[in-house]
C-alpha cells in the first residue's frame, strides 16, 4: 500500500487493498437499518448481520457476503455519497468529507483493538440478528437518524 494513501489520493483512486484497509473495524455498517419511506428517517437496530462476528466486528464470510446476505450493504468509493448514515467516526465518511482519520484508527495507531477500547465499535452492544424474529425488530431500535 502507498504511504498515508488516505491523505494523498481521493477515494476513487484507492486500490482495493487500500480501500479495505481504510475500514476501522467498528462494525457499525453491519447493524440492521430500516428507512421510513415517508419521512426518510433511518432506524438503526442493535441487531447485527448474521455474518458479523460481534466480538471481532468483522464479517465471518466477507468474500461471499453478497451472495449469502442479499441485503448486505457494499460500501464502494462510487457509492460513498449514498451512505450519509455512516457514523461521523467512520474513516470512509471522514475521508470523503475531507477530514483526517481519528487518532485511534488502526492505520495511525497500529492497534486494531483501539476502536473497541474507545467504545466506537459495536462489540459491547450488538447482538446477532440470527434467531430474532422480524416482529421483534422494533424492540431493538437504538437510534433514529434523520436523512436529508
Amino acid at each position: 500500500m502507498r504511504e498515508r494513501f488516505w491523505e494523498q489520493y481521493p477515494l476513487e483512486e484507492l486500490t482495493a487493498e487500500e480501500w479495505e484497509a481504510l475500514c476501522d473495524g467498528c462494525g457499525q455498517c453491519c447493524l440492521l437499518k430500516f428507512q421510513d419511506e415517508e419521512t426518510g428517517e433511518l432506524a438503526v437496530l442493535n441487531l447485527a448481520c448474521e455474518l458479523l462476528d460481534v466480538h471481532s466486528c468483522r464479517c465471518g464470510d466477507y468474500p461471499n457476503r453478497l451472495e449469502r446476505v442479499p441485503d448486505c450493504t457494499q460500501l464502494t468509493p462510487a457509492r460513498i455519497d449514498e451512505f450519509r448514515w455512516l457514523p461521523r467516526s467512520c474513516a470512509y465518511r471522514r475521508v470523503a468529507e475531507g477530514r483526517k482519520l481519528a487518532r485511534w484508527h488502526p492505520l495511525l495507531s497500529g492497534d486494531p483493538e483501539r476502536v473497541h477500547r474507545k467504545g466506537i465499535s459495536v462489540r459491547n452492544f450488538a447482538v446477532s440478528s440470527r434467531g430474532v424474529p422480524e416482529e421483534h425488530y422494533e424492540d431493538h431500535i437504538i437510534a433514529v437518524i434523520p436523512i436529508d
Side-chain angles (χ1 to χ4, degrees), residues 59-129:
C59 183
D61 191 8
Y62 192 73
N64 301 304
R65 72 195 186 285
L66 300 173
E67 292 81 35
R68 292 189 56 193
V69 180
D71 292 338
C72 178
T73 301
Q74 184 178 16
L75 300 176
T76 65
R79 298 181 63 206
I80 196 70
D81 289 338
E82 296 174 34
F83 303 117
R84 295 185 309 270
W85 50 264
L86 288 169
R88 288 191 43 79
S89 60
C90 175
Y92 294 115
R93 181 172 172 180
R94 292 176 77 100
V95 172
E97 292 175 351
R99 294 184 292 132
K100 295 182 179 207
L101 293 183
R103 291 188 324 200
W104 50 260
H105 193 284
L107 287 169
L108 296 176
S109 70
D111 181 4
E113 285 296 309
R114 208 155 168 204
V115 67
H116 307 298
R117 287 195 307 275
K118 287 286 196 180
I120 294 153
S121 79
V122 302
R123 176 183 280 176
N124 294 321
F125 68 86
V127 294
S128 177
S129 62

Side-chain angles (χ1 to χ4, degrees), residues 5-104:
F5 60 85
W6 60 92
E7 295 173 340
Q8 309 286 333
Y9 305 95
L11 291 173
E12 303 80 36
E13 292 181 19
L14 299 185
T15 67
E17 182 183 20
E18 290 167 343
W19 175 260
E20 295 297 329
L22 199 52
C23 174
D24 55 39
C26 73
Q28 292 194 44
C29 59
C30 296
L31 294 177
L32 300 188
K33 298 158 201 68
F34 296 99
Q35 191 160 22
D36 184 302
E37 292 178 17
E38 291 179 23
T39 66
E41 292 179 328
L42 195 70
V44 180
L45 287 65
N46 71 335
L47 297 175
C49 167
E50 64 187 59
L51 296 180
L52 185 73
D53 175 326
V54 294
H55 180 74
S56 69
C57 293
R58 295 292 181 177
C59 183
D61 191 8
Y62 192 73
N64 301 304
R65 72 195 186 285
L66 300 173
E67 292 81 35
R68 292 189 56 193
V69 180
D71 292 338
C72 178
T73 301
Q74 184 178 16
L75 300 176
T76 65
R79 298 181 63 206
I80 196 70
D81 289 338
E82 296 174 34
F83 303 117
R84 295 185 309 270
W85 50 264
L86 288 169
R88 288 191 43 79
S89 60
C90 175
Y92 294 115
R93 181 172 172 180
R94 292 176 77 100
V95 172
E97 292 175 351
R99 294 184 292 132
K100 295 182 179 207
L101 293 183
R103 291 188 324 200
W104 50 260

